[in-house]
Amino acid sequence: MFRLSISFMAVLVLLAGSVSARASADDWNAVLATARGQTVYWNAWAGSEAANDYIAWVAAEVSRRHGITLRHVKVTNLAESVARVLAEKNAGRTSGGSVDLLWINGENFLAMKENGLLYGPFADRLPNAALVDYDGKPTVLLDFTVPVEGLESPWGMAQIVFLHDAARLPDPPRDMRALLSWAAANPGRFTHPQVRNFMGSTFLKQALIELVDDAGVLQLPATPANFQIVTAPLWAWYEQLKPNLWRSGRQFPENASVQHQLLADGEVDMSISFHPAEASNLIQSGQLPPSVRTFVLAGGTIGNTHFVAIPFNSSAREAAMVVADFLLSPEAQARKQDPRVWGDMTVLDLNRLTAGDRALFDALPRGPATLAPDELDRPLPEPHPSWMNMIVEEWGRRYGG
């Protein structure tokens, strides 16, 4: 396992210093005035019923409070939205774009940043940005190692947890080598989402972090020269695992939600989530049995921040900023963290909240399957996005996915 290095932390200190002057009250009032009456087309992943319901609640709130119409453009792969914005730029469409807000992180953020597709910086102009935990949650400033620089606003925290039905599997394997042995003894009882889905590729990144000789190399961009050498242990491990996966590794669930359904149906004994409280949410809604519990691997699990960003040619950038600021409000963040609603962890520093706002979080139930903060431990940093892109390509080359 590796942790954030001293030099990495020094970068974070410098970046935190850049989150400085907020918009003045007059400036923000002007934004609010312009935003009223605008329509925001928010391109956001639609693979979670809880997340979809939460976005619908946000739409109702920003309409009531600010006179903004929020449309959830439901997408399965945000890369398609990024490609659309790029096509608009190449066609010279510098205003009146079709996308106003994106739920984004990782390789999609890198692609938009490298291609000059982002509006901003704007994140440090949001009044509620003053409540963000820049010190305790360093990934709000570095998105998969890429400096955010105010071009996206943090929305929620994620960390990999593994789900298991304790009634059938009371003592699950706690590292990748143990998983390999367990799968060999229990063929067909484990799988992962397809690798072109972010959850499937993240599972392979999690394995790579544990199996590589020096995980620090993953914080730098992958190159054709080092990719095969660095990932060789991953592919050797996966070659042994794949035949013992569900349906002999010839078919994979489309996403984590489908994998959770396989767990609920008793077809597999484990599934994977990026939301530590998702299992509690699914138990509460009756989608998973009450005996499901979660765990993290002995060496830790990957964690990251997810953000919202505004394209350079948004037709409603003021309203998009108001939505982004509302998403950072203590009320919206507490509701999102409630496992009965969604269970997505907050990006706020609770010590910066008023007593009343802090009470919103203190009153939240943890849920029967949610680990305590000390059980989750500090998350492992994401590799540079280039590793995921090349892993997905290599997996497809090897296995035809």
Side-chain angles (χ1 to χ4, degrees):
M1 178 173 58
F2 68 104
R3 299 298 186 195
L4 300 179
S5 67
I6 294 175
S7 59
F8 183 70
M9 292 302 297
V11 170
L12 295 183
V13 170
L14 293 173
L15 290 171
S18 71
V19 183
S20 52
R22 312 291 176 198
S24 70
D26 287 345
D27 289 343
W28 188 247
N29 285 335
V31 171
L32 290 172
T34 306
R36 184 167 292 276
Q38 290 184 338
T39 297
V40 174
Y41 290 89
W42 184 3
N43 284 230
W45 177 67
S48 161
E49 183 178 341
N52 294 342
D53 290 346
Y54 178 81
I55 291 174
W57 173 79
V58 171
E61 289 300 308
V62 297
S63 174
R64 181 176 66 84
R65 299 176 190 222
H66 302 293
I68 293 169
T69 300
L70 180 64
R71 306 290 189 198
H72 181 186
V73 180
K74 297 179 178 179
V75 300
T76 56
N77 185 352
L78 193 72
E80 296 173 0
S81 301
V82 175
R84 191 183 328 139
V85 177
L86 178 60
E88 290 175 354
K89 182 180 181 182
N90 291 338
R93 189 174 175 181
T94 57
S95 62
S98 62
V99 181
D100 299 304
L101 192 67
L102 300 126
W103 177 2
I104 193 169
N105 69 358
E107 75 284 3
N108 289 313
F109 172 67
L110 177 63
M112 294 199 75
K113 188 177 183 184
E114 288 184 335
N115 286 286
L117 302 179
L118 294 166
Y119 167 70
F122 75 94
D124 58 346
R125 298 175 61 194
L126 307 180
N128 284 321
L131 304 176
V132 172
D133 186 359
Y134 296 103
D135 298 323
K137 299 178 174 67
T139 54
V140 299
L141 292 167
L142 286 175
D143 185 352
F144 286 49
T145 77
V146 179
V148 170
E149 299 179 313
L151 295 171
E152 54 183 359
S153 174
W155 184 30
M157 301 297 298
Q159 183 175 347
I160 288 179
V161 294
F162 289 79
L163 286 62
H164 68 112
D165 189 334
R168 299 199 308 265
L169 181 64
D171 185 22
R174 303 295 177 130
D175 61 51
M176 291 300 174
R177 291 179 176 83
L179 174 63
L180 184 64
S181 299
W182 179 86
N186 300 274
R189 302 302 298 171
F190 180 75
T191 188
H192 59 77
Q194 59 179 266
V195 172
R196 294 202 177 277
N197 175 270
F198 70 93
M199 203 66 247
S201 56
T202 301
F203 169 70
L204 294 183
K205 287 188 295 181
Q206 176 70 47
L208 177 61
I209 287 175
E210 183 176 321
L211 298 170
V212 71
D213 290 335
D214 176 14
V217 71
L218 304 178
Q219 295 299 296
L220 301 172
T223 68
N226 71 2
F227 178 77
Q228 293 297 339
I229 296 173
V230 171
T231 61
L234 170 67
W235 303 119
W237 171 84
Y238 192 76
E239 286 287 343
Q240 297 178 70
L241 176 69
K242 187 172 180 291
N244 292 316
L245 295 175
W246 176 72
R247 297 191 175 177
S248 302
R250 291 192 292 269
Q251 184 178 350
F252 297 88
E254 179 181 357
N255 52 42
S257 296
V258 177
Q259 191 182 19
H260 297 331
Q261 186 61 53
L262 294 177
L263 175 64
D265 293 343
E267 288 202 49
V268 298
D269 290 325
M270 287 185 280
S271 62
I272 311 168
S273 175
F274 236 141
H275 301 286
E278 183 177 19
S280 294
N281 176 275
L282 295 176
I283 291 171
Q284 183 264 336
S285 64
Q287 297 177 70
L288 284 177
S291 52
V292 166
R293 293 294 181 268
T294 60
F295 67 98
V296 293
L297 301 180
T301 52
I302 292 173
N304 63 40
T305 300
H306 45 99
F307 300 81
V308 291
I310 303 171
F312 78 103
N313 62 347
S314 164
S315 59
R317 62 179 55 160
E318 292 83 4
M321 289 175 62
V322 173
V323 172
D325 187 63
F326 176 71
L327 295 175
L328 284 176
S329 67
E331 179 184 356
Q333 287 279 304
R335 182 179 179 86
K336 185 161 60 72
Q337 185 165 301
D338 190 335
R340 296 165 297 190
V341 175
W342 180 357
D344 193 48
M345 297 186 296
T346 185
V347 297
L348 301 184
D349 181 350
L350 301 189
N351 293 320
R352 297 185 182 186
L353 306 186
T354 65
D357 287 339
R358 174 67 182 258
L360 297 175
F361 290 89
D362 292 342
L364 294 178
R366 199 172 75 192
T370 308
L371 298 175
D374 63 326
E375 294 174 304
L376 282 171
D377 203 0
R378 194 177 180 90
L380 305 178
E382 283 272 9
H384 186 274
S386 54
W387 290 98
M388 187 170 84
N389 293 336
M390 294 183 74
I391 285 172
V392 172
E393 290 176 7
E394 178 66 14
W395 193 93
R397 188 188 69 79
R398 287 172 176 259
Y399 307 112

